[in-house]
Amino acid sequence: MPVITVMILRRFSSRPMVLVSGDDDGRAYFLEPRSNNTQDWTYTKNAFHDAGSGTVGQIAFADVDGDDFIDLFVPNYNLNDISVYTFAQSDHIPFGY
């Protein structure tokens, strides 16, 4: 069963970004608001993590390094590790925020 984590990141939108663990599909997703219209609650699904055929657990987030950008922690149970992502701007970061 997918696990949903709501991350309040209103820097670019009046709606929250939603993080979803695909659980046994091995992926993690972020749902991004399609518009700032207060009547439009449609989202675009974007995969940002692929652990292959393994299980992805509940996503955690915090600014752990104090750089004012949110860091994401995605547990990969079958790989026995945790993948770390950040919202800091970089050419190497998939979010592009």
PDB file of all heavy atoms in Angstrom, residues 7 9 11 60-73 84-88:
ATOM      1  N   MET A   7       4.237  17.364   2.182  1.00  0.00           N
ATOM      2  CA  MET A   7       5.301  18.297   2.488  1.00  0.00           C
ATOM      3  C   MET A   7       4.804  19.685   2.116  1.00  0.00           C
ATOM      4  O   MET A   7       4.432  19.929   0.973  1.00  0.00           O
ATOM      5  CB  MET A   7       6.556  17.952   1.688  1.00  0.00           C
ATOM      6  CG  MET A   7       7.695  18.887   1.943  1.00  0.00           C
ATOM      7  SD  MET A   7       9.206  18.337   1.158  1.00  0.00           S
ATOM      8  CE  MET A   7       8.759  18.352  -0.548  1.00  0.00           C
ATOM      9  N   LEU A   9       5.447  22.873   0.926  1.00  0.00           N
ATOM     10  CA  LEU A   9       6.475  23.641   0.226  1.00  0.00           C
ATOM     11  C   LEU A   9       5.729  24.598  -0.681  1.00  0.00           C
ATOM     12  O   LEU A   9       5.381  24.273  -1.796  1.00  0.00           O
ATOM     13  CB  LEU A   9       7.382  22.713  -0.583  1.00  0.00           C
ATOM     14  CG  LEU A   9       8.517  23.383  -1.329  1.00  0.00           C
ATOM     15  CD1 LEU A   9       9.521  23.971  -0.346  1.00  0.00           C
ATOM     16  CD2 LEU A   9       9.197  22.403  -2.247  1.00  0.00           C
ATOM     17  N   ARG A  11       6.675  27.540  -1.785  1.00  0.00           N
ATOM     18  CA  ARG A  11       7.569  28.495  -2.410  1.00  0.00           C
ATOM     19  C   ARG A  11       7.136  28.829  -3.837  1.00  0.00           C
ATOM     20  O   ARG A  11       7.283  29.929  -4.302  1.00  0.00           O
ATOM     21  CB  ARG A  11       8.951  27.870  -2.407  1.00  0.00           C
ATOM     22  CG  ARG A  11      10.044  28.744  -2.825  1.00  0.00           C
ATOM     23  CD  ARG A  11      11.269  27.874  -2.743  1.00  0.00           C
ATOM     24  NE  ARG A  11      12.453  28.638  -2.615  1.00  0.00           N
ATOM     25  CZ  ARG A  11      13.631  28.125  -2.450  1.00  0.00           C
ATOM     26  NH1 ARG A  11      13.753  26.828  -2.325  1.00  0.00           N
ATOM     27  NH2 ARG A  11      14.691  28.859  -2.366  1.00  0.00           N
ATOM     28  N   ALA A  60      10.909  10.503   4.620  1.00  0.00           N
ATOM     29  CA  ALA A  60      11.044  11.496   5.689  1.00  0.00           C
ATOM     30  C   ALA A  60      11.716  12.728   5.097  1.00  0.00           C
ATOM     31  O   ALA A  60      12.443  12.638   4.101  1.00  0.00           O
ATOM     32  CB  ALA A  60      11.879  10.935   6.826  1.00  0.00           C
ATOM     33  N   PHE A  61      11.486  13.904   5.717  1.00  0.00           N
ATOM     34  CA  PHE A  61      12.117  15.115   5.212  1.00  0.00           C
ATOM     35  C   PHE A  61      12.414  16.076   6.344  1.00  0.00           C
ATOM     36  O   PHE A  61      11.713  16.114   7.354  1.00  0.00           O
ATOM     37  CB  PHE A  61      11.263  15.791   4.141  1.00  0.00           C
ATOM     38  CG  PHE A  61       9.910  16.247   4.626  1.00  0.00           C
ATOM     39  CD1 PHE A  61       9.725  17.530   5.117  1.00  0.00           C
ATOM     40  CD2 PHE A  61       8.826  15.395   4.582  1.00  0.00           C
ATOM     41  CE1 PHE A  61       8.487  17.957   5.549  1.00  0.00           C
ATOM     42  CE2 PHE A  61       7.575  15.808   5.008  1.00  0.00           C
ATOM     43  CZ  PHE A  61       7.410  17.096   5.506  1.00  0.00           C
ATOM     44  N   ALA A  62      13.486  16.836   6.161  1.00  0.00           N
ATOM     45  CA  ALA A  62      13.903  17.868   7.113  1.00  0.00           C
ATOM     46  C   ALA A  62      15.081  18.601   6.488  1.00  0.00           C
ATOM     47  O   ALA A  62      15.711  18.107   5.548  1.00  0.00           O
ATOM     48  CB  ALA A  62      14.317  17.256   8.444  1.00  0.00           C
ATOM     49  N   ASP A  63      15.392  19.765   7.008  1.00  0.00           N
ATOM     50  CA  ASP A  63      16.617  20.470   6.620  1.00  0.00           C
ATOM     51  C   ASP A  63      17.688  20.071   7.626  1.00  0.00           C
ATOM     52  O   ASP A  63      17.894  20.734   8.624  1.00  0.00           O
ATOM     53  CB  ASP A  63      16.401  21.985   6.622  1.00  0.00           C
ATOM     54  CG  ASP A  63      17.673  22.752   6.293  1.00  0.00           C
ATOM     55  OD1 ASP A  63      18.645  22.130   5.810  1.00  0.00           O
ATOM     56  OD2 ASP A  63      17.709  23.969   6.528  1.00  0.00           O
ATOM     57  N   VAL A  64      18.363  18.970   7.380  1.00  0.00           N
ATOM     58  CA  VAL A  64      19.308  18.426   8.354  1.00  0.00           C
ATOM     59  C   VAL A  64      20.686  19.075   8.311  1.00  0.00           C
ATOM     60  O   VAL A  64      21.433  18.990   9.267  1.00  0.00           O
ATOM     61  CB  VAL A  64      19.459  16.895   8.223  1.00  0.00           C
ATOM     62  CG1 VAL A  64      18.139  16.203   8.514  1.00  0.00           C
ATOM     63  CG2 VAL A  64      19.992  16.507   6.872  1.00  0.00           C
ATOM     64  N   ASP A  65      21.017  19.738   7.193  1.00  0.00           N
ATOM     65  CA  ASP A  65      22.342  20.348   7.099  1.00  0.00           C
ATOM     66  C   ASP A  65      22.326  21.867   7.265  1.00  0.00           C
ATOM     67  O   ASP A  65      23.357  22.527   7.142  1.00  0.00           O
ATOM     68  CB  ASP A  65      23.044  19.960   5.799  1.00  0.00           C
ATOM     69  CG  ASP A  65      22.226  20.297   4.568  1.00  0.00           C
ATOM     70  OD1 ASP A  65      21.165  20.953   4.694  1.00  0.00           O
ATOM     71  OD2 ASP A  65      22.646  19.896   3.463  1.00  0.00           O
ATOM     72  N   GLY A  66      21.153  22.428   7.550  1.00  0.00           N
ATOM     73  CA  GLY A  66      21.053  23.854   7.853  1.00  0.00           C
ATOM     74  C   GLY A  66      21.261  24.788   6.677  1.00  0.00           C
ATOM     75  O   GLY A  66      21.555  25.966   6.868  1.00  0.00           O
ATOM     76  N   ASP A  67      21.063  24.302   5.436  1.00  0.00           N
ATOM     77  CA  ASP A  67      21.272  25.152   4.258  1.00  0.00           C
ATOM     78  C   ASP A  67      19.981  25.813   3.773  1.00  0.00           C
ATOM     79  O   ASP A  67      19.955  26.427   2.713  1.00  0.00           O
ATOM     80  CB  ASP A  67      21.927  24.365   3.126  1.00  0.00           C
ATOM     81  CG  ASP A  67      21.039  23.258   2.569  1.00  0.00           C
ATOM     82  OD1 ASP A  67      19.937  23.016   3.118  1.00  0.00           O
ATOM     83  OD2 ASP A  67      21.465  22.613   1.597  1.00  0.00           O
ATOM     84  N   ASP A  68      18.907  25.679   4.543  1.00  0.00           N
ATOM     85  CA  ASP A  68      17.589  26.234   4.219  1.00  0.00           C
ATOM     86  C   ASP A  68      16.905  25.534   3.051  1.00  0.00           C
ATOM     87  O   ASP A  68      15.979  26.079   2.455  1.00  0.00           O
ATOM     88  CB  ASP A  68      17.648  27.746   3.967  1.00  0.00           C
ATOM     89  CG  ASP A  68      17.991  28.518   5.220  1.00  0.00           C
ATOM     90  OD1 ASP A  68      17.617  28.056   6.316  1.00  0.00           O
ATOM     91  OD2 ASP A  68      18.629  29.577   5.104  1.00  0.00           O
ATOM     92  N   PHE A  69      17.366  24.353   2.685  1.00  0.00           N
ATOM     93  CA  PHE A  69      16.717  23.531   1.667  1.00  0.00           C
ATOM     94  C   PHE A  69      16.307  22.208   2.300  1.00  0.00           C
ATOM     95  O   PHE A  69      17.048  21.632   3.098  1.00  0.00           O
ATOM     96  CB  PHE A  69      17.640  23.259   0.471  1.00  0.00           C
ATOM     97  CG  PHE A  69      17.927  24.475  -0.347  1.00  0.00           C
ATOM     98  CD1 PHE A  69      19.111  25.173  -0.175  1.00  0.00           C
ATOM     99  CD2 PHE A  69      17.011  24.934  -1.281  1.00  0.00           C
ATOM    100  CE1 PHE A  69      19.377  26.305  -0.925  1.00  0.00           C
ATOM    101  CE2 PHE A  69      17.270  26.059  -2.042  1.00  0.00           C
ATOM    102  CZ  PHE A  69      18.461  26.743  -1.866  1.00  0.00           C
ATOM    103  N   ILE A  70      15.134  21.712   1.924  1.00  0.00           N
ATOM    104  CA  ILE A  70      14.629  20.464   2.479  1.00  0.00           C
ATOM    105  C   ILE A  70      15.407  19.288   1.914  1.00  0.00           C
ATOM    106  O   ILE A  70      15.686  19.220   0.718  1.00  0.00           O
ATOM    107  CB  ILE A  70      13.126  20.317   2.181  1.00  0.00           C
ATOM    108  CG1 ILE A  70      12.358  21.408   2.932  1.00  0.00           C
ATOM    109  CG2 ILE A  70      12.617  18.940   2.559  1.00  0.00           C
ATOM    110  CD1 ILE A  70      10.899  21.482   2.562  1.00  0.00           C
ATOM    111  N   ASP A  71      15.752  18.357   2.782  1.00  0.00           N
ATOM    112  CA  ASP A  71      16.417  17.109   2.402  1.00  0.00           C
ATOM    113  C   ASP A  71      15.410  15.972   2.547  1.00  0.00           C
ATOM    114  O   ASP A  71      14.619  15.951   3.487  1.00  0.00           O
ATOM    115  CB  ASP A  71      17.623  16.854   3.311  1.00  0.00           C
ATOM    116  CG  ASP A  71      18.576  18.034   3.319  1.00  0.00           C
ATOM    117  OD1 ASP A  71      19.077  18.387   2.241  1.00  0.00           O
ATOM    118  OD2 ASP A  71      18.802  18.612   4.404  1.00  0.00           O
ATOM    119  N   LEU A  72      15.409  15.036   1.597  1.00  0.00           N
ATOM    120  CA  LEU A  72      14.488  13.899   1.594  1.00  0.00           C
ATOM    121  C   LEU A  72      15.260  12.613   1.848  1.00  0.00           C
ATOM    122  O   LEU A  72      16.363  12.439   1.327  1.00  0.00           O
ATOM    123  CB  LEU A  72      13.779  13.771   0.243  1.00  0.00           C
ATOM    124  CG  LEU A  72      12.979  14.960  -0.244  1.00  0.00           C
ATOM    125  CD1 LEU A  72      12.433  14.680  -1.631  1.00  0.00           C
ATOM    126  CD2 LEU A  72      11.853  15.283   0.716  1.00  0.00           C
ATOM    127  N   PHE A  73      14.659  11.720   2.620  1.00  0.00           N
ATOM    128  CA  PHE A  73      15.274  10.437   2.953  1.00  0.00           C
ATOM    129  C   PHE A  73      14.326   9.329   2.535  1.00  0.00           C
ATOM    130  O   PHE A  73      13.199   9.241   3.037  1.00  0.00           O
ATOM    131  CB  PHE A  73      15.566  10.372   4.451  1.00  0.00           C
ATOM    132  CG  PHE A  73      16.440  11.497   4.899  1.00  0.00           C
ATOM    133  CD1 PHE A  73      15.895  12.705   5.303  1.00  0.00           C
ATOM    134  CD2 PHE A  73      17.816  11.366   4.868  1.00  0.00           C
ATOM    135  CE1 PHE A  73      16.699  13.763   5.684  1.00  0.00           C
ATOM    136  CE2 PHE A  73      18.634  12.413   5.250  1.00  0.00           C
ATOM    137  CZ  PHE A  73      18.076  13.615   5.652  1.00  0.00           C
ATOM    138  N   VAL A  84      19.335   9.763  -0.223  1.00  0.00           N
ATOM    139  CA  VAL A  84      19.134  11.120   0.266  1.00  0.00           C
ATOM    140  C   VAL A  84      19.083  12.073  -0.925  1.00  0.00           C
ATOM    141  O   VAL A  84      19.931  12.009  -1.813  1.00  0.00           O
ATOM    142  CB  VAL A  84      20.279  11.535   1.224  1.00  0.00           C
ATOM    143  CG1 VAL A  84      20.059  12.949   1.733  1.00  0.00           C
ATOM    144  CG2 VAL A  84      20.393  10.550   2.378  1.00  0.00           C
ATOM    145  N   TYR A  85      18.078  12.957  -0.920  1.00  0.00           N
ATOM    146  CA  TYR A  85      17.901  13.967  -1.957  1.00  0.00           C
ATOM    147  C   TYR A  85      17.767  15.328  -1.288  1.00  0.00           C
ATOM    148  O   TYR A  85      17.432  15.421  -0.114  1.00  0.00           O
ATOM    149  CB  TYR A  85      16.637  13.691  -2.778  1.00  0.00           C
ATOM    150  CG  TYR A  85      16.693  12.408  -3.561  1.00  0.00           C
ATOM    151  CD1 TYR A  85      16.255  11.214  -2.997  1.00  0.00           C
ATOM    152  CD2 TYR A  85      17.188  12.386  -4.851  1.00  0.00           C
ATOM    153  CE1 TYR A  85      16.306  10.038  -3.706  1.00  0.00           C
ATOM    154  CE2 TYR A  85      17.236  11.202  -5.569  1.00  0.00           C
ATOM    155  CZ  TYR A  85      16.800  10.037  -4.992  1.00  0.00           C
ATOM    156  OH  TYR A  85      16.857   8.864  -5.701  1.00  0.00           O
ATOM    157  N   THR A  86      18.009  16.375  -2.041  1.00  0.00           N
ATOM    158  CA  THR A  86      17.862  17.720  -1.512  1.00  0.00           C
ATOM    159  C   THR A  86      17.147  18.611  -2.515  1.00  0.00           C
ATOM    160  O   THR A  86      17.142  18.318  -3.711  1.00  0.00           O
ATOM    161  CB  THR A  86      19.237  18.330  -1.147  1.00  0.00           C
ATOM    162  OG1 THR A  86      19.029  19.628  -0.581  1.00  0.00           O
ATOM    163  CG2 THR A  86      20.127  18.460  -2.378  1.00  0.00           C
ATOM    164  N   PHE A  87      16.563  19.682  -2.024  1.00  0.00           N
ATOM    165  CA  PHE A  87      15.949  20.676  -2.893  1.00  0.00           C
ATOM    166  C   PHE A  87      16.914  21.805  -3.212  1.00  0.00           C
ATOM    167  O   PHE A  87      16.550  22.771  -3.868  1.00  0.00           O
ATOM    168  CB  PHE A  87      14.677  21.239  -2.251  1.00  0.00           C
ATOM    169  CG  PHE A  87      13.472  20.396  -2.526  1.00  0.00           C
ATOM    170  CD1 PHE A  87      13.151  19.351  -1.693  1.00  0.00           C
ATOM    171  CD2 PHE A  87      12.673  20.643  -3.620  1.00  0.00           C
ATOM    172  CE1 PHE A  87      12.037  18.564  -1.947  1.00  0.00           C
ATOM    173  CE2 PHE A  87      11.566  19.858  -3.879  1.00  0.00           C
ATOM    174  CZ  PHE A  87      11.249  18.816  -3.037  1.00  0.00           C
ATOM    175  N   ALA A  88      18.155  21.703  -2.748  1.00  0.00           N
ATOM    176  CA  ALA A  88      19.154  22.717  -3.080  1.00  0.00           C
ATOM    177  C   ALA A  88      19.368  22.738  -4.590  1.00  0.00           C
ATOM    178  O   ALA A  88      19.380  21.700  -5.246  1.00  0.00           O
ATOM    179  CB  ALA A  88      20.473  22.414  -2.366  1.00  0.00           C
TER     180      ALA A  88
END
